[in-house]
Amino acid sequence: MLLRYKTATNSRDAVVASSFLMLMAFNDSVNSVYPDSPDRNDTLWASFSLGLNLQQIFPNASLPAFNSNSQVFPLTSSEDGLTWKWGMKYTNLTALWITAHIAGETETDTNRPWGLATYDELTFNYTLSIDPDTHEATITQDYVIGRIRDLWAFYGWFIVPLYNHFNSTGCYRYGAKISDETVYDHLDTHDVKMSIVSFQTSIMLDRNTYCISSGGQNVTDNEVLVSNSSISTYADDGEKIFNASFGVKETYNLFNYTEDLTESTPDTYDAVTRTAKIGGYARNRDLFDFHRKFAQYVPLILVHMYPQLFQRAKESITNMTRADYLFMISYSNYSGYRIEHDPVYTVYFAPTSATIP
């Protein structure tokens, strides 16, 4: 999500970029620093979608073919032009789970892949509501993490991975059913939890910015719990330009597919949100190589929107180590079921006489 606007108080140009980094599954250890949130003492699995057909590599294994699809929800608006909606949906995602170790504050070490998972979907929906009287634009970002249909858990390697295949009917090994343990049983037994990892960057043409929690704590490259609060972004002269509210929607919906095949009646649980040290993620060149390369193209949008900010964007948006903050939204009750959650972001903009937004 990339926003460019004039600030409310001083009508200065600002750009805010919020970038989705990855899904991260985790298991709390006895030495967990932050219970129900992935940290350096936990078992971590970075989840990355694949763009290849695994059947060609392992022709005799019942691994999934890559058949992911994407669907764009076009930008629409209300008649008065004050409410806008858009989004993107990815279906049938095949993702590689890689065991990751955050080594202090400087790097992330990765091991061999731990397994493969197929998700029903990963959806991002946005609703922009503009209040011209208060000069506030509120963006609700709806996350949907579809349920896991299949999980191939590797338990060893002999040239090719040795695996157990879990789905909604049981556990299979090379096509033969070995137990009635479903993928949901397996994730629940091992207390696997899920989280979304993202980072935010803001730039202004002639000002630096800083971010603090509603409790007054600096969140840049710092570990701060913000589950029931918010993070505000300011220009270095004190003008408030952006706000991310996690306390507005502290809970998420979990749809238990085992008990309700229609996924129509959710259970509600508390989400855990905190900021984290940036270095353990940003300095891992292998794990996030694709993200870094893709980020290089994002500032090109500003060439036409606001060319003066293009150079500043090149220096910061493409460099995760210069992010305002990295944050993780965690869902401790999971078991592989569908999750829906919607944190709220607020932009403080200047009024304009333009008739077309």
Side-chain angles (χ1 to χ4, degrees), residues 30-296:
V30 294
N31 297 316
S32 182
V33 182
Y34 297 97
D36 295 332
S37 181
D39 60 59
R40 56 187 175 274
N41 289 345
D42 295 335
T43 303
L44 309 174
W45 298 282
S47 175
F48 293 105
S49 298
L50 298 177
L52 52 92
N53 190 331
L54 294 168
Q55 204 67 48
Q56 297 174 357
I57 301 175
F58 305 112
N60 298 320
S62 59
L63 297 174
F66 178 78
N67 60 348
S68 177
N69 296 298
S70 61
Q71 178 184 359
V72 175
F73 302 126
L75 183 68
T76 60
S77 70
S78 59
E79 291 186 3
D80 59 7
L82 298 180
T83 301
W84 297 76
K85 296 183 177 182
W86 71 97
M88 175 74 78
K89 180 179 182 179
Y90 304 91
T91 58
N92 298 318
L93 285 178
T94 299
L96 186 66
W97 283 25
I98 303 173
T99 304
H101 305 277
I102 301 175
E105 303 173 5
T106 57
E107 62 182 352
T108 304
D109 297 327
T110 56
N111 291 337
R112 285 178 173 177
W114 178 83
L116 284 166
T118 57
Y119 303 86
D120 269 349
E121 65 175 291
L122 179 61
T123 301
F124 302 92
N125 281 315
Y126 301 88
T127 300
L128 171 64
S129 302
I130 301 171
D131 189 331
D133 297 324
T134 62
H135 303 160
E136 294 181 2
T138 301
I139 299 177
T140 302
Q141 182 175 354
D142 300 326
Y143 296 112
V144 176
I145 305 173
R147 67 181 177 89
I148 291 182
R149 292 200 310 267
D150 299 274
L151 176 66
W152 288 260
F154 305 148
Y155 62 85
W157 292 76
F158 182 74
I159 302 177
V160 297
L162 307 176
Y163 66 89
N164 289 330
H165 173 203
F166 298 90
N167 59 26
S168 61
T169 63
C171 177
Y172 301 80
R173 184 173 296 168
Y174 301 99
K177 188 173 184 178
I178 61 174
S179 78
D180 292 327
E181 183 182 18
T182 68
V183 60
Y184 313 111
D185 295 332
H186 183 73
L187 294 174
D188 184 64
T189 298
H190 291 82
D191 199 22
V192 176
K193 306 172 184 182
M194 183 57 70
S195 66
I196 289 177
V197 182
S198 304
F199 66 94
Q200 180 183 302
T201 304
S202 59
I203 58 172
M204 301 180 72
L205 186 61
D206 55 353
R207 293 286 180 181
N208 294 320
T209 60
Y210 65 94
C211 302
I212 59 173
S213 70
S214 54
Q217 296 170 286
N218 176 23
V219 297
T220 301
D221 201 26
N222 197 15
E223 297 182 328
V224 180
L225 286 168
V226 291
S227 301
N228 58 356
S229 58
S230 62
I231 297 175
S232 298
T233 302
Y234 296 86
D236 56 14
D237 61 354
E239 181 183 11
K240 190 175 185 178
I241 64 172
F242 191 77
N243 194 68
S245 301
F246 304 103
V248 171
K249 189 64 181 294
E250 294 183 61
T251 61
Y252 65 96
N253 291 330
L254 184 71
F255 296 81
N256 189 322
Y257 177 77
T258 303
E259 297 179 356
D260 177 14
L261 296 180
T262 64
E263 296 180 305
S264 57
T265 306
D267 296 313
T268 301
Y269 300 98
D270 290 335
V272 176
T273 307
R274 72 175 180 89
T275 59
K277 293 285 187 179
I278 297 173
Y281 297 85
R283 293 188 176 90
N284 189 289
R285 299 185 62 83
D286 296 329
L287 196 60
F288 304 115
D289 184 61
F290 173 80
H291 302 76
R292 292 186 300 102
K293 290 179 179 178
F294 178 78
Q296 295 174 1

